[in-house]
Amino acid sequence: MIVPELKTDRLTLRRHQTRDFEASAAMWADPGVTRHIGGRPFTAQETWTKVLRYVGHWELLGFGYWAVFDTATGRFAGEVGFADFKREMDPPLDGTPEIGWALAPWAQGRGLATEAVTAAVAWGATRLQANRTVCLIDEGNTASFRVAEKCGYQRYGQGLYAGSPVQLFQRFYPR
């Protein structure tokens, strides 16, 4: 599967490559990044599993996560994309593509998450075989609430994932 490269004013979203692993592992090891995503830093092994899962999504489902880079500097900024993680949660997501994002500490608070998610959503509007996408956001992650809402997601409920409450957002694609 060829992963499309997306460009925005400031960012390049492209497929993950093995050379991106160190920067990705550093991001996922940062407690500030993971505070609302799992609640603890990820090990290098857990990050490697994430990267393999991202690549596998593209191969098996035709969508997945992109590695995000600052176009001007080439610096790794984070990851964004769609997935079907088969989460065991209530209520179930039933195979609906789930959008997610995480940014390196240096990239946060600069509007880059909104820019990256907007690019992914635009791609999804024409490429996903779904009439909606969802995201689940930790109750305390108000910054991600704002990103989701700026990108057209509306809160539709609350769920429980891994024993923790999450807010559920959805965005519909006209078909």
Side-chain angles (χ1 to χ4, degrees):
M1 170 77 195
I2 296 174
V3 178
E5 184 173 283
L6 308 180
K7 297 249 187 197
T8 70
D9 289 342
R10 299 179 289 170
L11 301 172
T12 300
L13 288 66
R14 64 157 173 78
R15 72 180 183 88
H16 284 79
Q17 299 174 9
T18 53
R19 68 178 185 233
D20 306 328
F21 175 68
E22 189 175 312
S24 179
M27 178 185 77
W28 287 110
D30 187 290
V33 171
T34 61
R35 180 179 61 186
H36 296 294
I37 308 172
R40 64 166 180 78
F42 289 82
T43 66
Q45 179 180 335
E46 290 168 324
T47 300
W48 181 245
T49 300
K50 276 182 169 299
V51 171
L52 294 175
R53 187 168 52 182
Y54 298 157
V55 173
H57 267 85
W58 284 107
E59 186 63 31
L60 295 176
L61 301 176
F63 59 83
Y65 269 65
W66 291 270
V68 180
F69 295 87
D70 177 278
T71 302
T73 65
R75 189 175 184 188
F76 177 84
E79 298 167 341
V80 65
F82 298 99
D84 180 357
F85 293 127
K86 305 286 186 209
R87 294 186 193 272
E88 295 177 6
M89 64 174 289
D90 184 36
L93 300 178
D94 296 327
T96 302
E98 174 189 335
I99 194 165
W101 57 90
L103 290 182
W106 74 266
Q108 295 175 11
R110 302 175 48 187
L112 297 178
T114 300
E115 193 170 322
V117 172
T118 298
V121 164
W123 177 88
T126 61
R127 300 299 194 307
L128 289 174
Q129 301 297 313
N131 66 349
R132 79 177 183 133
T133 57
V134 297
C135 60
L136 56 110
I137 302 174
D138 181 78
E139 292 240 322
N141 194 346
T142 57
S144 281
F145 292 165
R146 286 191 301 274
V147 171
E149 290 165 351
K150 287 179 188 175
C151 295
Y153 285 84
Q154 297 178 337
R155 205 175 311 214
Y156 73 94
Q158 184 172 332
L160 195 62
Y161 176 65
S164 297
V166 292
Q167 294 297 314
L168 301 171
F169 290 75
Q170 65 186 351
R171 184 184 199 286
F172 289 93
Y173 293 106
R175 297 283 175 226

